[in-house]
């Protein structure tokens, strides 16, 4: 079994920034592929994870299921991840990329409070204030009202709650198993659950189940979806191995401006003036956390 690692907040922040930069690309691919069955998209996402990470885990001689506790936590984590990805992919069929992610960004605030209440992680007043400022910026980025969007606007909120618990479970298991092995184990558990859905009929303009064989450029989009999603969540898993969830929560706000950039380049969606100011606020809150963590690290006494 992989030995526990000491917290290294700055390394965790860098890894989380990598996640924030890559995951909007995977989401954009899912939006472009919105005419394909939902379960097919999620299946391809986890199949790519298995293809990329299982051979690497075996080559590194990592145990995928070292003990019963890891198996239970990995299964719970996999179910949460599949649910969250599926709901986000559904939301992207109706909402612009930046709007869907911005609405979902009540998640870091939820995660910070859960880390405080459930895991007894230290949350100082400055860190809590930075999260509140980042959340205020998130509200400024949200453009369509719930009245205009309808029920799909609620889907990112469900995603937020699911991924808050997902990241807390990841934090619990990430110190007991190597991140590569954890992601490989998640793929092994997810594929048997997802594969039966591709044999169900394809129904409706935005089908949930079934299989539509991709052709031409769609093949490349599926490849990017799978690769970007697998790499992004590997970086996220690593980040939670080295830093508390309360530390990483504000950093995830930086995903909003990055998603806005991806949405503009691919779909031509550009936030208005209020949303632009919200992006500035979220960036400022995230940069403050980086500065704060550097100051705390320098002030801490050297390890024995």
């Amino acid at each position: 079994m992989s030995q526990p690692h000491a917290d290294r907040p700055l390394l965790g922040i860098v890894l989380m920034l990598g996640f924030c930069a890559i995951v909007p690309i995977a989401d954009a691919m899912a939006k472009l592929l919105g005419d394909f069955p939902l379960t097919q998209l999620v299946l391809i996402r986890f199949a790519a994870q298995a293809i990329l990470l299982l051979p690497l885990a075996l080559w590194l001689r990592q145990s995928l299921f070292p003990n019963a506790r890891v198996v239970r936590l990995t299964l719970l984590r996999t179910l949460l991840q599949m649910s969250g990805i599926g709901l986000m992919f559904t939301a992207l069929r109706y909402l612009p990329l930046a709007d869907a992610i911005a609405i979902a960004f009540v998640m870091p605030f939820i995660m910070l409070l859960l880390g405080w209440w459930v895991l007894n992680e230290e949350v100082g007043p400055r860190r809590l204030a930075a999260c509140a400022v980042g959340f205020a910026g998130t509200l400024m980025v949200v453009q369509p009202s719930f009245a205009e969007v309808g029920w799909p606007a609620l889907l990112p909120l469900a995603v937020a709650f699911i991924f808050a618990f997902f990241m807390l479970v990841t934090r619990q298991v990430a110190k007991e198993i190597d991140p590569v092995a954890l992601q490989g184990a998640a793929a092994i558990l997810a594929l048997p659950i997802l594969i039966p859905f591709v044999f169900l009929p394809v129904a409706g303009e935005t089908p949930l189940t079934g299989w539509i064989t991709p052709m031409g450029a769609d093949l490349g989009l599926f490849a990017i979806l799978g690769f970007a999603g697998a790499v992004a969540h590997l970086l996220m898993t690593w980040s939670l191995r080295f830093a508390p969830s309360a530390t990483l929560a504000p950093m995830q706000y930086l995903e909003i401006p990055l998603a806005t950039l991806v949405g503009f380049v691919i779909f031509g969606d550009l936030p208005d003036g209020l949303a632009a100011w919200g992006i500035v606020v979220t960036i400022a809150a995230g940069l403050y956390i980086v500065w704060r963590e550097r100051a705390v690290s320098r002030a801490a006494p050297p390890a024995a």
Side-chain angles (χ1 to χ4, degrees):
M1 182 176 67
S2 179
Q3 294 298 319
H5 284 229
D7 279 354
R8 298 168 62 184
L10 293 182
L11 177 57
I13 287 172
V14 170
L15 293 171
M16 183 60 77
L17 288 177
F19 166 80
C20 293
I22 296 175
V23 76
I25 298 175
D27 290 337
M29 297 303 103
K31 185 173 179 63
L32 289 171
L33 295 167
D35 292 334
F36 286 83
L38 175 64
T39 50
Q40 179 179 346
L41 298 180
V42 181
L43 174 62
I44 294 297
R45 162 68 181 77
F46 279 95
Q49 184 168 309
I51 293 171
L52 289 171
L53 299 180
L54 279 178
L56 181 58
L58 294 176
W59 180 70
L60 294 173
R61 297 182 179 179
Q62 297 290 341
S63 175
L64 299 180
F65 302 105
N67 56 60
R69 180 176 183 272
V70 169
V71 173
R72 291 192 298 270
L73 289 175
T74 303
L75 178 59
L76 174 59
R77 178 182 181 274
T78 302
L79 294 173
L80 290 170
Q81 186 178 15
M82 287 191 301
S83 301
I85 290 175
L87 288 175
M88 178 55 78
F89 286 179
T90 303
L92 290 171
R93 291 177 169 181
Y94 302 95
L95 302 174
L97 178 64
D99 289 7
I101 292 179
I103 295 171
F105 258 79
V106 293
M107 185 269 288
F109 191 70
I110 296 169
M111 190 177 70
L112 181 135
L113 295 179
L114 288 175
W116 181 26
W117 291 334
V118 178
L119 303 181
N120 295 320
E121 294 179 344
E122 182 180 356
V123 180
R126 295 182 182 181
R127 195 181 292 166
L128 186 61
C131 269
V133 171
F135 179 65
T138 298
L139 296 180
M140 295 169 63
V141 177
V142 178
Q143 293 187 63
S145 66
F146 289 113
E148 294 173 343
V149 177
W151 67 266
L154 300 178
L155 293 176
L157 295 177
V159 173
F161 279 94
I162 289 173
F163 269 105
F165 284 101
F166 166 80
M167 296 189 73
L168 289 179
V169 174
T170 299
R171 174 67 175 167
Q172 291 297 298
V173 72
K175 290 191 175 185
E176 298 186 38
I177 181 173
D178 184 85
V180 174
L182 177 58
Q183 294 297 90
I188 290 178
L189 295 172
L191 292 179
I193 299 174
L194 293 168
I195 288 175
F197 288 98
V198 304
F199 296 102
L200 298 177
V202 177
E205 296 182 359
T206 55
L208 296 178
T209 61
W211 178 272
I212 299 176
T213 302
M215 304 293 291
D218 290 337
L219 291 171
L221 298 179
F222 269 109
I224 297 173
L225 167 66
F227 178 79
V231 172
H233 279 85
L234 177 62
L235 293 177
M236 184 272 296
T237 304
W238 259 322
S239 73
L240 290 168
R241 198 181 195 194
F242 292 108
S245 57
T247 298
L248 298 175
M251 296 309 306
Q252 289 192 301
Y253 286 114
L254 297 179
E255 185 182 338
I256 299 174
L258 295 174
T260 302
L261 177 62
V262 172
F264 173 70
V265 171
I266 297 179
F267 304 104
D269 297 330
L270 189 64
D272 60 17
L274 180 62
W277 279 111
I279 290 173
V280 172
V281 172
T282 58
I283 292 176
L287 292 178
Y288 172 79
I289 290 297
V290 174
W291 172 83
R292 181 61 185 165
E293 288 300 330
R294 291 176 66 90
V296 171
S297 297
R298 290 172 179 172

